[in-house]
Amino acid sequence: MDVSRFVEILDEEGRLLAEAAEKAGPDAEVPTCPEWRVRDLVRHTGVVHRWAAAFVADGHVPPRPMGEPPELDGPELLAWYREGHRGLVGTLSGAAPDMECFTFLPGSPSALAFWSRRQAHETAVHRFDAESARGGAPAPVATDFAVDGIDELLRGFHALRRSRVRTEAPRVLRVRATDADAVWTVRLSPEPPVTTRDADGDAECELAGPAEQLYLALWNRLPVPTTSGDPALATLWRDASAVI
């Protein structure tokens, strides 16, 4: 997937998030994030959008913290969110392909590719959160985008030192999208997981399902569609994989 496709998805997902949040109302509980109400979700996503856009716009290379959300609520909060979302889409659309700035996951071909991809997935998952608060059927996630998001999670976030998905002895977990040519082998140990895009060797547990459902399940938004093998490894993923 290229930068333009990620930016297109980010644009659509961000608008859907705002529409769902508006219909749900700021006080609505977010079932997929039990500690949040809709206002918390909108504030968080709005801050992340501005944080990401500033790295790209400024060409800022060192890391820096996110800002604090404004003390806004209701229509004013949604207007603030929409302004930041439009700003992020515009910044990414207008950036030079070879621009350089801070990134924090391995494997991206460029800083622009990293931020376009990361913010598309960030916003898609939180759009699902907003729709869970609104109720009704959620918008679909395209299969290729879901596969890419699984890949980012397994080979990006869980390659970092802060991943808590670890085992005392070596173990092997497999993740399989049943509606796409996509399978991952996750080798667990006392160190961060090492994930390869293949089905090499035997696995002790497999998490499988259609890419859309598997994507949301691996981000702990839905149950894993199908689990086989050692249930302890599935439980480990559920309990330890949250990205913090």
Side-chain angles (χ1 to χ4, degrees):
M1 296 178 64
D2 61 19
V3 167
S4 63
R5 175 84 188 286
F6 284 124
V7 175
E8 179 183 333
I9 292 171
L10 166 63
D11 187 23
E12 176 68 10
E13 294 287 357
R15 288 188 286 106
L16 290 173
L17 188 158
E19 291 169 9
E22 188 169 33
K23 289 179 181 177
D27 286 323
E29 295 181 352
V30 182
T32 49
C33 300
E35 72 278 13
W36 276 356
R37 294 185 182 270
V38 164
R39 66 171 56 85
D40 303 308
L41 172 65
V42 174
R43 287 170 178 167
H44 166 79
T45 313
V47 165
V48 172
H49 283 172
R50 283 169 164 78
W51 177 71
F55 279 118
V56 177
D58 300 344
H60 191 83
V61 175
R64 59 186 174 192
M66 295 185 197
E68 293 295 324
E71 292 298 321
L72 298 174
D73 208 349
E76 292 80 13
L77 176 61
L78 283 171
W80 170 82
Y81 165 82
R82 286 180 165 121
E83 179 184 42
H85 171 247
R86 288 194 302 270
L88 174 61
V89 170
T91 296
L92 294 171
S93 297
D98 60 350
M99 62 82 54
E100 296 183 4
C101 69
F102 170 73
T103 63
F104 59 87
L105 295 180
S108 295
S110 70
L112 182 59
F114 166 80
W115 282 111
S116 301
R117 179 195 205 194
R118 175 81 293 276
Q119 290 308 299
H121 288 297
E122 174 85 11
T123 308
V125 171
H126 287 319
R127 180 269 300 166
F128 184 83
D129 294 332
E131 291 175 339
S132 78
R134 179 205 63 195
V141 177
T143 298
D144 62 340
F145 181 67
V147 167
D148 181 82
I150 295 168
D151 198 76
E152 185 204 41
L153 179 63
L154 296 179
R155 297 204 291 168
F157 279 100
H158 286 290
L160 300 178
R161 296 294 310 176
R162 67 173 179 258
S163 175
R164 298 177 297 118
V165 184
R166 305 188 184 208
T167 53
E168 292 184 7
R171 307 292 302 275
V172 180
L173 173 69
R174 184 149 292 138
V175 176
R176 186 185 305 274
T178 56
D179 58 345
D181 182 19
V183 59
W184 297 261
T185 298
V186 185
R187 292 175 172 83
L188 305 174
S189 73
E191 296 298 312
V194 175
T195 301
T196 51
R197 186 78 176 265
D198 57 42
D200 291 347
D202 295 330
E204 297 159 83
C205 177
E206 181 167 297
L207 311 180
E212 177 182 17
Q213 296 176 42
L214 192 59
Y215 171 61
L216 293 167
L218 293 174
W219 278 103
N220 293 306
R221 263 55 184 191
L222 293 175
V224 174
T226 303
T227 300
S228 58
D230 186 352
L233 288 183
T235 300
L236 173 68
W237 181 271
R238 184 195 65 203
D239 294 345
S241 67
V243 172
I244 56 176

